[in-house]
Amino acid sequence: MRIAILSTPRSGNSWVRQVLADLYDLAEILVHDPTEIPAELPLRVILQLHWYREPGLQRWLREHGFRVLVIARHPLDVLLSVLHFVRHEPETARWLAGNAELPPGLGLASPTSPLFAEYALSWGAENLLGISTAWWQDRDALRTRYEALLRDPRQAFGSLIASLGATHNPLDAALERARLEVWQATWNHHGWRGQSGLWRSLLPPRTAWRIYRRHARVFRVLGYTVAPYMLTVRYAEQRWRELAINR
């Protein structure tokens, strides 16, 4: 069994990778660039990579017997999670070989800041959000949603198991080993809130709508919307301090 998780960062990739690795006794390979994938691969392996859906990689995956798995997450939640993660993980600069174009100082910004809005509307953000968007359209790929995984992990992972094949290892034990608190305790705070819809309490509506219009194709392909909501900048800043600055 060979599985390749190819999705936008901060979409639950590591969580899904660990659970599936536990369920199927798979070796784990995590790389930033396809050139870093080892030449010699285990027969049973799960690969995690944030990369473009380009013909060379697609061909390589087919030739080496990989099943592609892509995870969708609401783009606004993704961008906020990125904003939090860059505060703690310098390796984010290597996403897409630098083509995520994370600007200096982004880790000091807040969701209400001009710097965050500028980045969220940028070509670099389009590149980043485009990973899941592109692989989601692969007819042969397995698809799952971060929101579904959060809402009912047993059902969502059960659907993946139904597609991948039966496993003798118990799902509950795998979920326990990969619980949010474990990820929150890592040195780079890889786990943050483990919630969906957090953008409604952190992102001013005007900024949310600008991002929605800028990345309309991403929202459309992945099936997400931005319904009207009320939020003051003052409250958004307060919630960001509560949830991110001291975490």
Side-chain angles (χ1 to χ4, degrees), residues 42-170:
L43 291 176
R44 301 182 62 81
V45 64
I46 187 164
L47 168 69
Q48 180 178 318
L49 172 66
H50 310 303
W51 202 255
Y52 309 99
R53 185 187 173 211
E54 49 90 11
L57 178 57
Q58 289 178 289
R59 182 172 56 254
W60 183 90
L61 291 166
R62 287 194 302 268
E63 291 173 351
H64 289 80
F66 276 91
R67 188 79 183 271
V68 171
L69 169 59
V70 57
I71 308 166
R73 186 182 186 185
H74 196 292
L76 298 183
D77 277 332
V78 168
L79 291 170
L80 288 171
S81 188
V82 167
L83 181 63
H84 177 264
F85 195 50
V86 297
R87 299 169 55 85
H88 307 287
E89 177 52 83
E91 286 286 295
T92 52
R94 298 191 60 206
W95 285 345
L96 291 175
N99 282 334
E101 298 180 354
L102 300 167
L106 184 63
L108 300 177
S110 75
T112 62
S113 67
L115 180 58
F116 173 75
E118 181 181 351
Y119 178 69
L121 299 169
S122 73
W123 177 252
E126 181 176 333
N127 284 336
L128 207 62
L129 296 173
I131 301 174
S132 284
T133 309
W135 288 103
W136 194 259
Q137 298 174 90
D138 186 330
R139 291 179 301 176
D140 298 323
L142 293 174
R143 304 174 187 173
T144 190
R145 294 184 183 276
Y146 182 76
E147 294 82 6
L149 292 163
L150 287 178
R151 184 170 57 251
D152 192 338
R154 290 174 181 83
Q155 179 177 338
F157 278 105
S159 295
L160 292 178
I161 292 169
S163 297
L164 291 168
T167 172
H168 297 296
N169 296 332

Side-chain angles (χ1 to χ4, degrees), residues 7 20 29 71 142 159 202 212 214 230:
S7 308
L20 293 181
I29 296 177
I71 308 166
L142 293 174
S159 295
L202 293 173
Y212 176 77
R214 169 66 176 83
M230 298 293 293

